[in-house]
Amino acid sequence: MATIINMPRLSDTMTEGTVAQWLKKVGDKIEEGDILAEIETDKATMEFESFNEGVLLHVGLEDGDTAPVDSLLAIIGEEGEDISGLLNGNPVQTEAEEIPKVEEVAPVAEEKTADAAIPDNVTIVTMPRLSDTMTDGTVASWLKQVGDTVEEGDILAEIETDKATMEFESFNEGTLLYVGLQEGETAPVDSLLAIIGEAGTDITAVASNFGKAGDTKTETAPVVETPKVAATVSSPAPEKKDTPKPSPTATKTVSAISSENGRIIASPLAKALAEEKGINLAKVIGTGEGGRIVKVDIENYTPAAEITSEPKPTPVVATGEISQREEKNSNMRKAIARALDKSQTENVNFTISLDVDMDNAMASRAIINQLPDTKVSFNDLVVKASAMALTKHPQINTEWTVEKTIYNEHIAIGVAVAIEDGLVVPVIPFTDTKSLTQIGAEVKDLAIKAKNKKLTPAEMSGSTFTVSNLGMFGVDNFTSIINQPNSAILSVGGIKQKPVVKNGEIVVGNVMNLTLSCDHRTIDGAVGAAFLNTLKQFIENPVTMMA
């Protein structure tokens, strides 16, 4: 029998949701646990999984449509099943799916002891595993304090992982009796994070005996199959030293819109909407929990609602005085450091470089960009040329293992993108099969996602070669560290006017430097040089990439 899927309530403050995109289409076979769609709430963009299996017979909302909670989202049933009665509102044939109240960020590690030594009304909350690569987490900030009343769905703390800083919600109600980690402290997954229970309960023994063999018997809380949260991402606040006290007016303004560490709290949807409308979040008063800025605050914002605050005085350092400050390394920076250290330690690197005459490329790009709705960058030309050159030099498109060399017969170029917190490498699959305009559109879309922290793990994995471009920052040439498991990475400098010799005469030419970093275990110097020269020919004669 067909099952009606309604718009789920994915957060405690959610009243409506927007279908960001369908990941399944009508006629597709659905398995339990498959991701049906991405749903935008007032807090995040979340993957919505199916709790049924069958065939997707109907979708009630298209991409970009918004509807209240419990509106018709989709119908799943048997192939060929008549659902006209359901669409006409006939309740006899419906078996409405009971959507679990979803508030988990990831599989939850809340544990309740089975021993009589620990009261039944006490729940132990452990450090959750918020990503597939997370081994430990850092408490960026507590949003509840010991003694506070906690409702189901309240945000307890912000947890920093190796990928993002994520809000961790409570799945229980009671009083926050104990916190096992202070702000800034790091601990492994499943370490004691907090204890929730009835006010006045003595949890001294529970806290001191947690994790000791034989002292407590724990059972993992049942895991509800929930959407995976596209987490609210933010940089950890730097450690404060000798910060001047703001004026009373400034204090009032900041407290209305930010947390105690001075960071503005806003939902991802609100941030995206504010960026689209050009609204400064610092001037918006949040009406969500704890002053959080949500979607409705941006929609209702008018310049008249702006609140001005006195500028914070700049700390003055005496001339000649030695001054330092410390910022704790974010988990993203630690992950980048580990990956680069591994690359430098394991790879046997060498680099080769050459200059490319960009006169023809500049003329070709100008002609291409005259086409309607077309915008191709020089980096897009380099990415396309790299894909074409890799087809002629498959040794560059390899991966080294101790026992064998893996030859990738497909080409997927990763494009390094700098973001506020570090560096990410979104990937363009099957790059060699795509046109310049397709590559340009895809790179632009991935770069926007990277800046807004919307990239999925799938969009950042599977590269066979990487391009890193610092030309837009005025860099002439540089050397990149290989992005494992790739065997090579291309460093692209900026286009500079230089004296060059053409037809026996010295003239002003437009020159761009390319540097190829290679893993000598898979690529020899002659092979790398041959690839670089083929790449040079494609870039200097763009028409050959279209033949």
Side-chain angles (χ1 to χ4, degrees), residues 20 100 109 197 206 270 282 335 409 448 452 463 489 546:
V206 178
E409 297 181 347
I448 292 173
N452 293 329
S463 67
I489 185 171
M546 305 171 191

Side-chain angles (χ1 to χ4, degrees), residues 151-358:
E151 300 291 338
E152 185 176 352
D154 283 355
I155 299 171
L156 285 178
E158 292 182 333
I159 305 295
E160 182 189 345
T161 74
D162 58 332
K163 294 183 176 179
T165 298
M166 309 175 72
E167 293 178 340
F168 180 55
E169 298 182 3
S170 172
F171 313 110
N172 293 273
E173 57 184 29
T175 299
L176 184 57
L177 303 175
Y178 175 84
V179 295
L181 297 171
Q182 299 303 314
E183 292 184 357
E185 290 186 345
T186 301
V189 169
D190 295 334
S191 300
L192 177 60
L193 183 64
I195 299 177
I196 295 175
E198 291 185 4
T201 304
D202 183 7
I203 47 81
T204 306
V206 178
S208 60
N209 292 327
F210 179 80
K212 295 181 179 179
D215 289 337
T216 59
K217 179 182 179 183
T218 62
E219 55 182 46
T220 303
V223 176
V224 180
E225 294 191 5
T226 63
K228 299 171 185 175
V229 174
T232 303
V233 181
S234 60
S235 300
E239 182 180 336
K240 296 184 179 180
K241 291 189 177 181
D242 299 326
T243 304
K245 295 182 179 179
S247 67
T249 304
T251 303
K252 181 178 180 181
T253 302
V254 173
S255 64
I257 61 174
S258 63
S259 64
E260 291 182 0
N261 60 14
R263 185 178 57 79
I264 296 173
I265 304 175
S267 72
L269 198 56
K271 290 179 180 178
L273 193 58
E275 182 176 354
E276 179 182 331
K277 294 187 174 185
I279 295 174
N280 184 354
L281 286 173
K283 298 181 178 180
V284 180
I285 298 177
T287 60
E289 180 183 351
R292 178 190 183 91
I293 300 172
V294 294
K295 176 184 176 185
V296 68
D297 299 325
I298 302 300
E299 292 175 336
N300 295 336
Y301 172 78
T302 58
E306 292 183 3
I307 299 178
T308 59
S309 61
E310 296 179 9
K312 296 181 180 179
T314 303
V316 177
V317 180
T319 303
E321 180 182 344
I322 297 175
S323 177
Q324 295 178 327
R325 68 182 178 89
E326 295 180 357
E327 286 190 23
K328 188 173 182 180
N329 293 329
S330 68
N331 284 348
M332 176 178 282
R333 288 244 60 93
K334 291 178 183 177
I336 291 173
R338 286 194 297 268
L340 297 182
D341 181 65
K342 181 180 179 183
S343 179
Q344 288 291 79
T345 302
E346 295 184 358
N347 290 354
V348 184
N349 296 342
F350 71 92
T351 60
I352 49 179
S353 64
L354 50 72
D355 288 337
V356 178
D357 183 347
M358 294 297 290

Side-chain angles (χ1 to χ4, degrees), residues 350-354 389 392-396 488 516-535 537:
F350 71 92
T351 60
I352 49 179
S353 64
L354 50 72
K392 298 182 178 296
H393 301 276
Q395 190 70 36
I396 307 294
L516 185 69
S517 300
C518 304
D519 185 346
H520 216 326
R521 296 175 300 178
T522 52
I523 301 172
D524 293 328
V527 175
F531 168 81
L532 208 52
N533 276 283
T534 300
L535 178 60
Q537 293 171 11

